[in-house]
Amino acid sequence: MGHKPSLSALCVHCFIRFKQVKYAFARLCDFESCLLLSPMMPEEMMLSSSSVGRFPSVSARNGDDNAPKQASGKEHAGGGGCWRWLQKMCPCCCRKQSGSLDMTDTTKPGPVEEVPMLDKPSAEAKLTLTVRSVDLLKSKTGVNRREHHTDCYHDDELIVRRGQPFQIALELSRPFKHSTDKLHLELKTGKLPQVSKGTHVIIPLVDELENVCWQSQITEQSGNRVQLLVSSPPNALIGRYQLTVTTGCAKGEATSTHDPASDIYMLFNPWCEGDTVFMDNEDERMEYVLNDTGRIYYGTEKQIGVRTWNFGQFSEGILQACLFILEKSKVQPFGFGDSVNVVRVVSAMINSLDDRGVLEGNWSGDYEEGTSPTAWSGSVDILKKYYAEGGTPVKYGQCWVFSGVTTTVLRCLGIACRSVTNFQSAHDTDVSLTTDVYFDENMEPLDRLNTDSVWNFHVWNDCWMARPDLPPGMGGWQAVDSTPQETSQGTFCCGPASVNAIRTGQVYLKHDTPFVFAEVNSDKIYWQRNLDSTFSQIYIEKKAVGHCISTKAVGSDERMDITDLYKYPEDTEEERIAVETASRYGSRPETYSSPAAEDVQIEVVMEGEGPRMGADAQLKIVLRNQSRHPRRATLHSQVAVMYYTGVLKGTIKREKLPVELMPSEGEKVTIEWVLPYDQYQDQLVDQAALMLTLSGRVSETQQVLATQHNFRLRTPDLTITPVGEAVVGKEMAAKISFTNPLPRTLKSVLFRVEGLGLQNVREIAVGDVGSHCSVTLTEHFVPTLPGPRKLVASLDCRQLTQVHGVADILVKENQ
């Protein structure tokens, strides 16, 4: 007896032949008995009544007993004419079985009437090629995520970097035929995708990838499954792409339905040489792209404080929040292939002015409607809140918060970025590229004219990229500032400005280079009002701004001074040339037409780490007479409480100090200056910052003596001590201790504790803490991620700010 396959087991050739000769089967044998060939034979093989009359000798059965029968039971027992016909036409599927028994079919076939045949289309034309499923191979431990350095992202989507191939797999409805089948991928991003704008990408199937454009190549094929290697250009638009697959054969085309689970997230690629954000140092890539924690510096140049910041760029939902920020900017997505444009958009969107961006700035000291800027210790809560509330600005931020969030967003999108602190940071309001201080005829400050200011510190960002839009040599670190200070082209944003251009005074190069130059290297110029209401330049202080520019070191928690990247050493010929070059492009190019003479010097000296909160503040004023003649002067001193931005809240002490300097060839005169605690205890804001201003005139020479000194009152740290072994999934604890340094009670003290991979942000209400009293609390948590982790805590209360601490915790895998 011959082997009788089911229809599903027939080869494609046999299947097509089977369909073409179905009417012949009806004539060769009883049609119903022909169905015995396969219980799985489809209904379309049944002869419908509509076929009657189309071929001779074919009639409808439909239960009609008068219908002729052309096959006997004996023929069915041996396979019948229908079966013998199939054995002859399709020997590959209807072969005879071998065995010990004689299975030779001895039945002689009867004559077969020639049947009119339809045209013979190919198998591909009869079997439509469709996509049954798409596998993006997006496992965090899979090849795509590992090779694209996106395995740290906690999201489950396919996250890849541009300019680097990635793999996907397709399950098709049948095997792919290279000679006749067609296949291409389509990616769409934005609300109105257009091929001409690059927001609708058609990815052709090619034999060999070129890696400089959108292409795909079949690398493996097994049955109905094909694996593709997909390349993207190094200038591809970043963002979220919707994926569909279009297949085609002779019968027509079919396009898969878009599935949000198959969306592809494309990022910048610092590992790709063709990408403008390429960084060739692996240690720096690890630090500035992949490190999710960092340190931000604050205070004054003599009292540099530091706090740990959780950037958390890989935390769940942060990538979606970052792309949401770009979408909220209303900038068209076809601009998101340009790293300069993206950075500029981020700079504008991190602050809420103009466009309801992420953070609302607040320097008033009143934070009742939101969170105090000093209470934040990471970006994750801020970005998640902004995203969850559909783009409502989060309250509140100041410069270090704006910078921390900017670092998070740019690192998340794939741009190397770091937070940078500039001490004695100037704010030039009139593009003079100088910091101007105005006095009246009696050497009293003219507050209404003194709009320029010098912040104790200001935090912005450096990001790394090539600058093909600028002359050669201007690539590398670029300054970008998200704190809203001045508008740029009508929007509150700043940068990216080439740090090399800033250093050399080439302030005519975009973007916002003059403003950043003034922050780090402007001279402070003192002006006095004349009797005719004009002003005369009376003194130039050349070393007033741009000190100890700081960022976290690569691979460690040490502070790295990068002042030399922003400016030449003070008083060198190169530095003076840079200042004068920049000045020529400012609003007062004649500023440096005549130099000022000096023979008396004045400076403020602070011993040790400086004054502590809760005690009297003590400083020293040192004067030197470098001439061979005696000098006399009267110093006017005033100390004001100030916000760290340089905005004064009010003066709390004034006094006059008479000075006599003998011709001692440089011997110094020291004046002890004291600010009692009871004069500042109820006046401080935010950073506990104060500014001492000294001004005077030398009687013999009319030389002006003028200087300003910013300082802060140091606050204590929180002490964090881990308790127990740190193991993933195992509860541990940490003790957090604090001592109140003030001779007064702290009211409504609140602790905030968080740690990436340790625990989410948790607020702990401590209540009141008495004068010089200590408080210790124990925080329990369960680590979720292995490796080195940081537990960060901060204290928030109205009487004391900038109190925080950090503990390094090494978490082991749970064996």
Side-chain angles (χ1 to χ4, degrees), residues 123-425:
E124 292 78 20
K126 281 295 185 180
L127 294 179
T128 302
L129 182 64
T130 59
V131 176
R132 289 179 176 172
S133 65
V134 177
D135 183 357
L136 294 184
L137 308 175
K138 56 187 178 182
S139 166
K140 296 174 188 176
T141 59
V143 63
N144 280 334
R145 298 283 292 268
R146 284 187 291 104
E147 290 186 353
H148 285 254
H149 304 92
T150 59
D151 49 320
C152 294
Y153 289 84
H154 292 184
D155 305 271
D156 293 326
E157 291 81 6
L158 175 59
I159 307 170
V160 295
R161 300 186 187 275
R162 67 184 191 176
Q164 182 176 342
F166 60 93
Q167 300 179 36
I168 67 172
L170 306 176
E171 184 73 23
L172 304 176
S173 58
R174 60 170 175 78
F176 183 82
K177 185 74 171 178
H178 290 262
S179 59
T180 56
D181 289 337
K182 297 179 181 180
L183 182 151
H184 70 262
L185 311 179
E186 294 192 33
L187 297 176
K188 297 179 181 179
T189 186
K191 294 182 179 179
L192 296 172
Q194 294 178 273
V195 173
S196 61
K197 300 291 187 180
T199 52
H200 180 184
V201 180
I202 299 175
I203 307 176
L205 190 64
V206 298
D207 294 331
E208 295 291 337
L209 295 183
E210 296 181 10
N211 287 335
V212 293
C213 57
W214 286 107
Q215 293 179 338
S216 64
Q217 175 190 12
I218 294 180
T219 56
E220 293 183 26
Q221 182 170 358
S222 177
N224 294 357
R225 182 181 174 88
V226 295
Q227 187 156 310
L228 302 177
L229 189 64
V230 183
S231 69
S232 63
N235 63 345
L237 308 184
I238 66 156
R240 177 175 180 169
Y241 286 89
Q242 297 178 353
L243 170 67
T244 57
V245 184
T246 298
T247 53
C249 59
K251 191 173 183 180
E253 289 189 349
T255 300
S256 64
T257 302
H258 166 244
D259 180 2
S262 295
D263 286 351
I264 297 174
Y265 291 77
M266 183 70 68
L267 307 179
F268 289 105
N269 194 350
W271 285 265
C272 173
E273 292 187 12
D275 200 319
T276 53
V277 304
F278 171 69
M279 175 177 273
D280 62 356
N281 186 297
E282 179 61 21
D283 290 338
E284 292 185 346
R285 283 193 296 248
M286 293 294 294
E287 178 67 47
Y288 300 130
V289 181
L290 299 183
N291 194 353
D292 56 5
T293 60
R295 290 162 81 81
I296 298 178
Y297 299 91
Y298 65 95
T300 70
E301 60 182 300
K302 300 293 179 61
Q303 299 167 283
I304 297 177
V306 60
R307 64 182 302 163
T308 299
W309 192 268
N310 287 328
F311 298 122
Q313 67 267 31
F314 304 123
S315 297
E316 186 176 2
I318 295 302
L319 176 56
Q320 288 79 2
C322 293
L323 296 179
F324 175 72
I325 291 170
L326 296 184
E327 179 184 337
K328 283 282 290 181
S329 72
K330 303 296 178 64
V331 174
Q332 295 300 316
F334 55 75
F336 294 156
D338 182 355
S339 55
V340 172
N341 188 47
V342 169
V343 165
R344 197 155 172 79
V345 169
V346 170
S347 170
M349 284 300 300
I350 296 303
N351 68 76
S352 65
L353 296 180
D354 304 320
D355 40 31
R356 291 183 60 78
V358 177
L359 276 163
E360 180 178 327
N362 187 341
W363 290 265
S364 69
D366 180 8
Y367 311 118
E368 292 295 334
E369 295 184 3
T371 300
S372 168
T374 60
W376 300 113
S377 56
S379 308
V380 174
D381 269 10
I382 295 170
L383 290 170
K384 283 188 174 181
K385 182 177 177 64
Y386 182 72
Y387 183 43
E389 296 182 359
T392 300
V394 178
K395 301 177 179 180
Y396 294 103
Q398 292 180 6
C399 72
W400 67 92
V401 187
F402 288 112
S403 174
V405 175
T406 299
T407 300
T408 298
V409 173
L410 293 184
R411 287 187 184 181
C412 182
L413 297 178
I415 298 177
C417 183
R418 62 190 184 188
S419 291
V420 172
T421 303
N422 177 40
F423 293 95
Q424 294 296 97
S425 185

Side-chain angles (χ1 to χ4, degrees), residues 764-783:
I764 306 168
V766 177
D768 297 345
V769 178
S771 170
H772 301 296
C773 290
S774 298
V775 59
T776 299
L777 58 88
T778 301
E779 178 71 359
H780 295 270
F781 54 92
V782 178

Side-chain angles (χ1 to χ4, degrees), residues 448-461:
R448 65 182 179 83
L449 297 181
N450 291 331
T451 55
D452 288 354
S453 60
V454 178
W455 301 19
N456 280 358
F457 71 96
H458 181 46
V459 189
W460 62 70
N461 297 85

Side-chain angles (χ1 to χ4, degrees), residues 79-144:
C82 177
W83 180 244
R84 290 193 300 274
W85 188 92
L86 271 178
Q87 284 182 315
K88 179 178 180 181
M89 298 301 297
C90 305
C92 59
C93 292
C94 305
R95 62 187 180 278
K96 297 179 181 180
Q97 294 180 347
S98 60
S100 57
L101 298 178
D102 183 6
M103 301 298 292
T104 303
D105 185 0
T106 57
T107 306
K108 295 181 180 181
V112 179
E113 181 177 348
E114 184 175 350
V115 181
M117 302 295 292
L118 303 175
D119 292 339
K120 300 180 180 180
S122 64
E124 292 78 20
K126 281 295 185 180
L127 294 179
T128 302
L129 182 64
T130 59
V131 176
R132 289 179 176 172
S133 65
V134 177
D135 183 357
L136 294 184
L137 308 175
K138 56 187 178 182
S139 166
K140 296 174 188 176
T141 59
V143 63
N144 280 334

Side-chain angles (χ1 to χ4, degrees), residues 526-723:
Y526 296 82
W527 303 83
Q528 184 178 20
R529 186 170 62 193
N530 301 317
L531 293 176
D532 61 358
S533 296
T534 61
F535 285 88
S536 297
Q537 182 185 127
I538 56 176
Y539 181 65
I540 298 180
E541 190 175 359
K542 298 179 180 178
K543 303 176 184 179
V545 305
H547 300 164
C548 303
I549 303 176
S550 304
T551 191
K552 177 186 173 299
V554 175
S556 77
D557 285 340
E558 298 299 314
R559 182 181 72 87
M560 181 170 65
D561 192 303
I562 58 172
T563 306
D564 61 336
L565 294 182
Y566 275 87
K567 58 196 294 188
Y568 292 106
E570 295 284 3
D571 281 340
T572 62
E573 184 177 5
E574 294 89 344
E575 189 264 342
R576 287 291 93 193
I577 290 174
V579 171
E580 294 176 15
T581 298
S583 177
R584 287 198 294 269
Y585 295 92
S587 59
R588 282 201 291 267
E590 72 285 351
T591 298
Y592 296 95
S593 57
S594 59
E598 299 176 356
D599 60 14
V600 175
Q601 294 183 342
I602 183 172
E603 66 174 330
V604 178
V605 177
M606 183 174 58
E607 293 184 347
E609 295 182 337
R612 287 183 173 272
M613 177 73 75
D616 294 348
Q618 299 183 9
L619 302 173
K620 293 181 178 181
I621 303 170
V622 179
L623 297 100
R624 291 182 174 87
N625 179 10
Q626 296 180 321
S627 73
R628 297 181 181 182
H629 307 280
R631 297 285 186 253
R632 292 179 297 114
T634 298
L635 288 180
H636 300 265
S637 77
Q638 67 176 38
V639 62
V641 173
M642 63 180 288
Y643 298 99
Y644 78 95
T645 58
V647 176
L648 300 180
K649 176 186 177 184
T651 301
I652 58 176
K653 180 184 178 181
R654 295 175 186 266
E655 62 182 335
K656 292 183 179 180
L657 305 170
V659 179
E660 291 189 8
L661 302 172
M662 300 306 293
S664 53
E665 297 183 354
E667 186 174 341
K668 64 184 180 180
V669 172
T670 302
I671 301 173
E672 299 288 342
W673 182 88
V674 178
L675 176 64
Y677 169 73
D678 60 6
Q679 286 189 299
Y680 72 75
Q681 63 174 336
D682 296 321
Q683 305 294 328
L684 299 180
V685 294
D686 289 341
Q687 308 287 327
L690 300 119
M691 182 174 72
L692 173 63
T693 300
L694 299 172
S695 62
R697 187 185 297 277
V698 178
S699 300
E700 292 79 7
T701 64
Q702 301 300 299
Q703 176 192 347
V704 171
L705 302 176
T707 188
Q708 292 177 321
H709 181 79
N710 299 334
F711 64 99
R712 70 180 179 93
L713 301 170
R714 296 182 60 241
T715 54
D717 293 329
L718 297 179
T719 301
I720 305 177
T721 306
V723 178

